[in-house]
Amino acid sequence: LKLETEFADVASLIADEFYIQCLRVRHWNLGHALETLKEFVRFRRSEQWPLQISKPVEQVLETNMQYLLPETDRHGRAVIVTNYSAIDLSTSMQIKDYQALSQFCLEQATAKNKLTQKNGVAIVLDFRNCSLQRLRQLMNIGDIRRGLNMLRVFPCKVKKCYIVNANRFMRGLLKSILLMAPKAIHSKVTFVSSSYDELRKDIPSS
């Protein structure tokens, strides 16, 4: 891929497999793959994150706030679980540190994994013990914008998002946000019932 002067140093910082990943996710369209790579690089640099997050802050890893399931779902998609109740901002950790963990999980799920790059990932958002008040305490609009952008620019298809253990107030808020999202997003989001049937149908042993 030919890059402009702004990205002249990228070739030495990103492994060849990542270029292939951009191409595969963009159905081997060179122009689209190049734009994906540029957006990814611009975002990482704007957040002062390395182009490859080899390891998040140790304390964040230990919280189990986010982790990758050992097996794929029934559609061959990697499954990443986010546990909001595990976020602890009483330490020196910030939401940005936890979001870096999210990017680390995506990198681990997709790196050199052709199946995941092709089939995409499923995300489980667990709001157990997370009230609207706590959510407001955890993140501001800047954090939300960063979270959306980091998923948008990463060369990996988010195929499904499961909302788990959200109380009725949280569901109402999330559904209101969804109304402002493109219709293509709506079909990807499933609000899981208390029986977890929707989750068990797609994710073994969930």
Side-chain angles (χ1 to χ4, degrees):
L1 299 179
K2 185 177 180 180
L3 299 173
E4 299 146 17
T5 305
E6 178 187 357
F7 306 97
D9 62 332
V10 170
S12 62
L13 299 174
I14 292 182
D16 291 344
E17 289 86 355
F18 194 79
Y19 293 103
I20 301 300
Q21 179 174 333
C22 290
L23 284 165
R24 183 173 287 111
V25 168
R26 294 306 175 191
H27 306 290
W28 304 100
N29 183 302
L30 184 59
H32 292 169
L34 184 58
E35 287 305 311
T36 295
L37 180 61
K38 288 178 181 178
E39 281 195 288
F40 171 80
V41 172
R42 288 193 185 105
F43 171 76
R44 285 290 175 96
R45 287 179 170 170
S46 70
E47 296 297 336
Q48 297 182 326
W49 282 346
L51 297 184
Q52 181 178 8
I53 301 176
S54 58
K55 189 177 182 181
V57 179
E58 190 69 35
Q59 296 97 310
V60 177
L61 279 172
E62 293 173 351
T63 64
N64 284 325
M65 176 264 182
Q66 193 161 59
Y67 51 90
L68 181 66
L69 293 186
E71 297 183 8
T72 64
D73 69 5
R74 300 188 193 281
H75 304 280
R77 301 178 295 220
V79 181
I80 297 175
V81 179
T82 299
N83 177 17
Y84 284 95
S85 66
I87 298 177
D88 182 7
L89 299 183
S90 64
T91 65
S92 60
M93 298 300 99
Q94 301 178 354
I95 284 295
K96 188 174 181 179
D97 297 315
Y98 288 96
Q99 289 174 324
L101 174 59
S102 173
Q103 292 288 272
F104 174 74
C105 286
L106 271 176
E107 289 178 4
Q108 294 299 304
T110 59
K112 301 180 182 180
N113 190 325
K114 296 179 182 179
L115 186 63
T116 300
Q117 292 172 19
K118 177 184 177 182
N119 296 334
V121 300
I123 297 176
V124 178
L125 303 181
D126 189 349
F127 288 93
R128 189 193 315 267
N129 300 324
C130 187
S131 63
L132 286 178
Q133 180 180 4
R134 173 169 169 75
L135 196 62
R136 286 197 294 267
Q137 293 172 342
L138 290 177
M139 59 187 69
N140 56 39
I141 188 64
D143 298 320
I144 295 172
R145 186 178 296 114
R146 183 189 305 112
L148 293 173
N149 284 335
M150 70 187 192
L151 289 176
R152 179 181 61 82
V153 304
F154 192 85
C156 178
K157 303 169 186 175
V158 177
K159 292 287 192 175
K160 195 71 178 178
C161 177
Y162 300 92
I163 308 295
V164 181
N165 296 317
N167 60 37
R168 62 190 182 95
F169 300 108
M170 186 70 72
R171 283 177 176 244
L173 173 63
L174 295 173
K175 287 180 179 179
S176 297
I177 294 174
L178 275 177
L179 290 176
M180 298 180 287
K183 289 185 178 180
I185 301 296
H186 296 187
S187 62
K188 296 182 179 182
V189 178
T190 295
F191 287 86
V192 177
S193 63
S194 57
S195 66
Y196 301 105
D197 287 342
E198 301 88 346
L199 211 57
R200 291 193 179 97
K201 183 177 70 173
D202 288 338
I203 303 175
S205 302
S206 60

